[in-house]
C-alpha cells in the first residue's frame, strides 16, 4: 500500500469531497470507495454561516487522512498563503499544491509550482504537487524536496483519462523511490486501473465519482479497479507484441 | 475605519484582528485569517492591529478536489 511522507495509507484511492449531491451521498461514496485520503479546501465563509464547521465534522467522521489543497490559486503568493491557512485549519503539514498557470486547461504553472514548493518545504510542509508529466519539472520538484509527485492524467474535470501514457510510464521509471499519484482527468475505473498497472501508487479523483448518476456505486467501481490494477502490476504482465501468436496448441490439431 | 473583509467593504471599530472576528461572530469559529495577503496565525490575531484600508480574508474548511 502507498506511503506518503512516512504514513502508510490502506487504499490506492484518494477521493475529493466536492460536487456531491448531498453530504449523505458524499459519506456513502467514501464508505464504498474505501479511500484513505480526502482532499479538502479553504474558502471564504459569510458572516453567520457554520458550513465550514459542519463540513469539518462530516470529514472527521469519515476517519480518513485529510489532504488540503490550494485549488484556484494562480500565483505563488496566493498558494503559499492558502497553504499556511490550510495547515492551521486542518492541523496537517500535508498540502496538495496547485499553482494554476492557464485558466482554460487548469494546467499547472511549472515555474510557480517549483517556487511555491521550495517556500513551503522550507516552512516544514509536506508537499503533494499537482504537476504535469514533464520530466524536468518533476526533477526540480524532487530536488526541492517533494517526496510525492502527482502528475495529471488529463485536465481537471474532463474525464479524458490518461492523455500521455508514454509520459506517465517514463516518469514512473525515472523516480522509482518517489510515491506517485495520477491526479485529475480520470473519468472511468478502467483508467484508474491502467494508472496503477503503470506502477503508480495511487489515483486521486473527484468529479468522476461525485458527478456519476450513482456516486457510491462509481466509488466502489474505482475501488475494485485500483485493486485489480495493483494485482496486475504485481503479477508481472506479459509483453505485448504486434504479431498474433496462437494460444491454443497447434500441435495435435486434427488434419481435416 | 473602513476595511475590506472577504472582498466586501466593512465599517468597523475593532482595533485588532481578534476583535474584528468577534465583531463578525467568528470569535470561536473554525477559521483561518490573512491580512493584506499575509497569513496571520490564530495565536497572533490579538496582537495584530488593523489600519484603514486593510484587506482581511477569513476562510473556513470547504469541499475540495
Amino acid at each position: 500500500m502507498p506511503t506518503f511522507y512516512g504514513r502508510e495509507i490502506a487504499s490506492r484511492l484518494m477521493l475529493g469531497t466536492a460536487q456531491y449531491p448531498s453530504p449523505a451521498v458524499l459519506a456513502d461514496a467514501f464508505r464504498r470507495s474505501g479511500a484513505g485520503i480526502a482532499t479538502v479546501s479553504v474558502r471564504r465563509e459569510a458572516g453567520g454561516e457554520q458550513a465550514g464547521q459542519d463540513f469539518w465534522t462530516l470529514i472527521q467522521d469519515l476517519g480518513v487522512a485529510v489532504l488540503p489543497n490550494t485549488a484556484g490559486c494562480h500565483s505563488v503568493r496566493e498558494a503559499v498563503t492558502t497553504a499556511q491557512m490550510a495547515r492551521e485549519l486542518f492541523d496537517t503539514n500535508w498540502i496538495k499544491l496547485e499553482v494554476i498557470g492557464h485558466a482554460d486547461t487548469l494546467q499547472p504553472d511549472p515555474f510557480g509550482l517549483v517556487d511555491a514548493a521550495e517556500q513551503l518545504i522550507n516552512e516544514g510542509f509536506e508537499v503533494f504537487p499537482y504537476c504535469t508529466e514533464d520530466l524536468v519539472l518533476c526533477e526540480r520538484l524532487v530536488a526541492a524536496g517533494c517526496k510525492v509527485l502527482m502528475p495529471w492524467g488529463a485536465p481537471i474535470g474532463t474525464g479524458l483519462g490518461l492523455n500521455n501514457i508514454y509520459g506517465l510510464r517514463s516518469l514512473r521509471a525515472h523516480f522509482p523511490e518517489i510515491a506517485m499519484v495520477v491526479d485529475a482527468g480520470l473519468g472511468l475505473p478502467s483508467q484508474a486501473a491502467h494508472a496503477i498497472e503503470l506502477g503508480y501508487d495511487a489515483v486521486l479523483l473527484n468529479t468522476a465519482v461525485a458527478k456519476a448518476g450513482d456516486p457510491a456505486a462509481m466509488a466502489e467501481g474505482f475501488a475494485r479497479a485500483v485493486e485489480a490494477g495493483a494485482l496486475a502490476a504485481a503479477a508481472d504482465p506479459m509483453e505485448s507484441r504486434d504479431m498474433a501468436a496462437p494460444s491454443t496448441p497447434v500441435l495435435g490439431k486434427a488434419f481435416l | 475605519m473602513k476595511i475590506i473583509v472577504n472582498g466586501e467593504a466593512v465599517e468597523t471599530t475593532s482595533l485588532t484582528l481578534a476583535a474584528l472576528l468577534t465583531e463578525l461572530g467568528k470569535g470561536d469559529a473554525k477559521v483561518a485569517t490573512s491580512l493584506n495577503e499575509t497569513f496571520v496565525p490564530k495565536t497572533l490575531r490579538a496582537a495584530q492591529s488593523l489600519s484603514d484600508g486593510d484587506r482581511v480574508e477569513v476562510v473556513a474548511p470547504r469541499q475540495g478536489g
Side-chain angles (χ1 to χ4, degrees):
Chain A
M1 282 299 166
T3 299
F4 303 111
Y5 291 100
R7 182 170 179 180
E8 187 174 9
I9 301 295
S11 168
R12 297 184 185 277
L13 193 54
M14 302 158 70
L15 201 53
T17 56
Q19 299 182 301
Y20 292 84
S22 71
V25 172
L26 184 161
D28 200 21
F30 264 84
R31 275 190 289 274
R32 298 262 304 263
S33 76
I37 295 176
T39 53
V40 295
S41 73
V42 302
R43 286 292 182 265
R44 290 171 169 173
E45 187 172 67
E49 281 185 351
Q50 291 297 323
Q53 181 60 57
D54 294 345
F55 173 66
W56 179 233
T57 302
L58 172 71
I59 294 302
Q60 286 179 303
D61 289 346
L62 296 176
V64 298
V66 172
L67 176 60
N69 69 29
T70 63
C73 292
H74 286 252
S75 73
V76 173
R77 179 159 195 186
E78 266 185 299
V80 169
T81 303
T82 301
Q84 291 165 331
M85 293 195 288
R87 174 156 69 175
E88 183 176 87
L89 269 183
F90 296 107
D91 195 25
T92 176
N93 286 326
W94 283 10
I95 190 74
K96 173 183 165 179
L97 181 59
E98 297 184 38
V99 183
I100 300 301
H102 195 279
D104 290 338
T105 62
L106 300 180
Q107 180 167 340
D109 169 359
F111 313 102
L113 186 61
V114 172
D115 188 352
E118 286 172 344
Q119 289 187 40
L120 291 171
I121 288 166
N122 281 338
E123 293 184 23
F125 281 88
E126 294 173 324
V127 174
F128 294 60
Y130 166 62
C131 55
T132 63
E133 70 279 21
D134 186 290
L135 173 59
V136 178
L137 164 62
C138 289
E139 282 183 333
R140 298 281 168 86
L141 290 167
V142 170
C146 292
K147 308 282 190 218
V148 180
L149 292 170
M150 301 212 298
W152 64 353
I156 296 170
T158 61
L160 290 171
L162 308 182
N163 264 356
N164 182 358
I165 291 164
Y166 162 76
L168 290 169
R169 188 193 301 123
S170 172
L171 202 63
R172 175 70 278 184
H174 272 89
F175 299 103
E177 305 302 323
I178 297 289
M180 294 179 71
V181 180
V182 169
D183 175 13
L186 300 184
L188 288 167
S190 54
Q191 298 158 351
H194 195 177
I196 304 298
E197 287 164 10
L198 290 175
Y200 279 75
D201 297 280
V203 295
L204 199 175
L205 53 113
N206 189 154
T207 312
V209 167
K211 289 296 189 185
D214 184 343
M218 188 60 85
E220 185 175 336
F222 272 99
R224 295 190 190 189
V226 295
E227 284 182 25
L231 281 169
D236 190 14
M238 63 170 280
E239 294 289 328
S240 62
R241 49 180 287 161
D242 289 331
M243 294 297 291
S247 51
T248 302
V250 176
L251 197 66
K253 178 184 176 296
F255 196 75
L256 302 170
Chain B
M1 70 183 136
K2 188 176 279 184
I3 61 172
I4 307 292
V5 180
N6 287 352
E8 304 276 340
V10 170
E11 188 69 38
T12 181
T13 54
S14 298
L15 298 178
T16 66
L17 187 54
L20 175 70
L21 285 180
T22 302
E23 183 184 329
L24 295 172
K26 300 279 181 197
D28 299 318
K30 189 171 183 61
V31 294
T33 53
S34 71
L35 177 67
N36 300 330
E37 294 81 47
T38 300
F39 171 58
V40 180
K42 188 174 186 177
T43 51
L44 297 182
R45 287 178 200 155
Q48 180 62 62
S49 58
L50 295 176
S51 304
D52 198 51
D54 273 348
R55 298 175 304 281
V56 174
E57 292 284 334
V58 182
V59 297
R62 189 68 67 83
Q63 295 84 350

